[in-house]
């Protein structure tokens, strides 16, 4: 009987662990693994090829593979396409690496922030926004509208979180539908 109880407990624990792993959403048609870091997962997302190319051009791969934790608001390819014509090509030029780095780090916040935690902070504030700083030093604001979470850049442009809480070994990714542009 002791073996059966131990076996049942082990089976239950494995089922819980497998269930938690399976709950991480797919992004860009690819599974996202909690055991992989931000870069290891992002490179597999078909929706983030522009972001990955930009991270490589800015030489931020090593940083985003570091221990963190980081919260990344990851714009999809369509968000980059929506920028004025030529913007992405200009940012990817080697001479514009400082500006590219600033734009990318304006999407990163120190810590491991779940969408629920960010929404709770926004709902609890007197103005309905949670104000925080990106790694770039730029201001970001979060607002909850019903069940939707929006992240605003310093220019007042909003990116809607379309996929929240994609857990990583070194933080969390929230997929956004807009590029957050620093001033």
């Amino acid at each position: 009987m002791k073996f059966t109880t131990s076996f049942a407990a082990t089976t239950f624990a494995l089922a819980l662990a497998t269930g938690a792993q399976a709950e991480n959403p797919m992004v860009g048609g690819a599974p996202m693994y909690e055991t992989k870091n931000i870069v290891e997962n992002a490179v597999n997302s078909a929706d983030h090829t522009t972001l990955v190319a930009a991270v490589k051009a800015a030489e931020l791969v090593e940083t985003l593979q570091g221990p963190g934790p980081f919260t990344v608001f990851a714009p999809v390819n369509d968000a980059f396409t929506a920028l004025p014509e030529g913007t992405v090509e200009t940012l990817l030029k080697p001479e514009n690496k400082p500006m590219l780095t600033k734009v990318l780090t304006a999407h990163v916040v120190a810590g491991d922030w779940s969408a629920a935690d960010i929404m709770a902070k926004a709902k609890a504030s007197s103005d309905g926004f949670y104000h925080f700083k990106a790694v770039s030093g730029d201001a970001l604001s979060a607002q909850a509208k019903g069940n939707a979470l929006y992240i605003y850049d310093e220019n007042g442009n909003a990116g809607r979180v379309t996929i929240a809480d994609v857990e990583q070994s070194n933080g969390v990714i929230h997929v956004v539908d807009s590029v957050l542009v620093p001033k």
Side-chain angles (χ1 to χ4, degrees), residues 20-133:
Q21 185 94 4
E23 289 179 23
N24 220 10
M26 300 257 300
V27 175
M32 298 286 116
Y33 300 103
E34 292 181 38
T35 56
K36 291 187 176 187
N37 66 49
I38 290 165
V39 174
E40 290 170 331
N41 275 320
V43 298
N44 294 315
S45 169
D47 292 342
H48 290 91
T49 56
T50 305
L51 177 61
V52 169
V55 166
K56 289 177 181 177
E59 298 179 359
L60 290 172
V61 171
E62 189 174 318
T63 300
L64 291 175
Q65 287 180 326
F70 303 108
T71 298
V72 177
F73 300 103
V76 293
N77 293 338
D78 287 344
F80 286 99
T81 302
L83 292 171
E85 189 174 330
T87 301
V88 173
E89 294 78 11
T90 299
L91 284 172
L92 291 175
K93 290 180 179 178
E95 62 268 22
N96 294 325
K97 182 180 163 189
M99 179 53 79
L100 177 62
T101 300
K102 184 168 178 60
V103 169
L104 293 174
T105 57
H107 292 79
V108 180
V109 177
D112 191 340
W113 288 88
S114 72
D117 288 344
I118 296 169
M119 290 179 88
K121 291 267 191 190
K123 288 177 180 179
S125 72
S126 60
D127 66 354
F129 288 89
Y130 174 57
H131 304 283
F132 52 107
K133 291 274 185 201

Side-chain angles (χ1 to χ4, degrees), residues 71-73 113-123 128-130 132 141-152 158-165 173-178 180:
T71 298
V72 177
F73 300 103
W113 288 88
S114 72
D117 288 344
I118 296 169
M119 290 179 88
K121 291 267 191 190
K123 288 177 180 179
F129 288 89
Y130 174 57
F132 52 107
S141 298
Q143 182 183 37
K145 293 182 182 179
N147 291 331
L149 177 61
Y150 290 84
I151 306 299
Y152 292 82
R160 185 173 61 88
V161 174
T162 58
I163 302 174
D165 301 323
I173 290 175
H174 303 292
V175 177
V176 293
D177 65 0
S178 184
L180 306 171

